[in-house]
Amino acid sequence: MLTLENVYTHYGKIEALHGISLEVNQGEIVSLIGANGAGKTTLLMTVCGDPRASEGRITFMGQDITETPTSDIMRGGIAIVPEGRRVFSGLTVMENLQMGAFFSDKSDFVRTLEYVYDLFPRLRERHSQRAGTMSGGEQQMLAIGRALMSHPKMLFLDEPSLGLAPIIINQIFEIIGKLREEGMTIFLVEQNANQALRLADRGYVLENGKVVLQDTGANLLVNEDVRKAYLGG
Ligand code: ATP
């Protein structure tokens, strides 16, 4: 569904990605793990066209999107839940969800809203609360809900567990698993390698802008190098 072939990304003269090749197939959860600064966010954002790949090819659902404007990539079926959630803190829960549906068919709005509220009953309870006054976990649910409002074909999640309490992290990962059961294709970027690999069909390990390992989630979980570097031995 998504393919990267030998993708390089530069920030000015700094080369952040050095020839990345990977794929995400329909219906899979693929996890990308790596330390701080490995280039995980850069990789996600490069697929979204900002920053743009300086070399290589990115295809999504059979179309070359390497040069496609970001807004068209988003309209074409990729939704991103950014690192740090970035909900509109002055807007209510409902207004945030409306923003997520901005480019979508308006006739579908109520049905999609109900779908998101069923997935996250807490958001229904808090529909008129300002997003900025919600807890971190609630804001993460809202960020995911907002992304789903655009009916994406593929969901990118950038560090959804960052800064959340373990019990909330479990809830978020449960929801991600549920989305996959419903057929969503998910590309998950995480420093929480343990949870991310448990959930993943396949995973990639990124080090210094390069893929150094790829395998099934189950195999990566028991891989010696992965255990030492990312799972605390
Ligand atoms: P983290 O988990 O800390 O967000 P990451 O794996 O997502 O890390 P990136 O944020 O993609 O890593 O950063 C990869 C490299 O690119 C780092 O060396 C970083 O300093 C650099 N970088 C990221 N964004 C920019 C930018 N806007 N301008 C210049 N360099 C950048």
Side-chain angles (χ1 to χ4, degrees):
M1 195 171 187
L2 175 70
T3 310
L4 278 72
E5 292 166 79
N6 203 26
V7 167
Y8 286 77
T9 300
H10 289 81
Y11 292 111
K13 286 194 174 133
I14 298 167
E15 190 175 284
L17 299 182
H18 318 294
I20 301 285
S21 296
L22 59 77
E23 59 185 24
V24 182
N25 301 310
Q26 182 138 22
E28 277 188 321
I29 295 184
V30 171
S31 291
L32 179 69
I33 62 167
N36 265 326
K40 303 180 299 298
T41 300
T42 300
L43 199 160
L44 277 195
M45 295 312 295
T46 299
V47 175
C48 298
D50 181 21
R52 212 158 266 298
S54 37
E55 232 180 276
R57 204 162 89 104
I58 305 170
T59 54
F60 178 62
M61 300 189 68
Q63 290 210 357
D64 189 331
I65 58 163
T66 322
E67 304 287 332
T68 305
T70 299
S71 54
D72 291 347
I73 295 174
M74 301 289 130
R75 284 197 195 104
I78 292 177
I80 182 161
V81 180
E83 186 174 352
R85 311 182 256 282
R86 307 218 199 115
V87 293
F88 300 103
S89 55
L91 301 184
T92 65
V93 166
M94 168 73 136
E95 287 163 347
N96 267 274
L97 295 173
Q98 280 171 334
M99 297 296 277
F102 192 74
F103 292 118
S104 307
D105 182 354
K106 298 291 170 276
S107 66
D108 237 14
F109 177 75
V110 173
R111 200 176 55 81
T112 315
L113 187 67
E114 282 306 308
Y115 167 72
V116 169
Y117 280 161
D118 285 347
L119 205 57
F120 299 107
R122 179 63 62 92
L123 296 183
R124 190 197 304 274
E125 282 166 27
R126 305 296 177 93
H127 70 276
S128 57
Q129 183 173 335
R130 273 182 208 275
T133 65
M134 306 226 295
S135 73
E138 289 165 348
Q139 289 189 25
Q140 186 62 63
M141 291 173 196
L142 179 56
I144 296 172
R146 183 180 60 186
L148 292 173
M149 290 300 295
S150 68
H151 292 282
K153 300 186 177 79
M154 185 182 278
L155 196 57
F156 287 1
L157 296 162
D158 193 353
E159 308 254 11
S161 77
L162 197 70
L164 300 180
I167 189 167
I168 309 293
I169 294 176
N170 287 343
Q171 285 175 15
I172 297 287
F173 277 100
E174 237 172 70
I175 293 283
I176 297 170
K178 195 166 165 199
L179 288 174
R180 185 246 316 262
E181 279 167 28
E182 290 175 4
M184 183 62 73
T185 307
I186 294 168
F187 193 26
L188 172 65
V189 162
E190 262 298 340
Q191 279 192 53
N192 187 336
N194 192 10
Q195 299 253 36
L197 292 176
R198 267 174 211 281
L199 197 61
D201 297 292
R202 293 185 306 108
Y204 291 87
V205 180
L206 198 64
E207 274 175 19
N208 299 320
K210 273 191 176 155
V211 171
V212 294
L213 258 180
Q214 55 176 303
D215 209 329
T216 62
N219 284 347
L220 288 174
L221 264 178
V222 296
N223 178 291
E224 271 303 304
D225 295 336
V226 173
R227 295 194 70 79
K228 273 191 207 132
Y230 303 104
L231 300 170

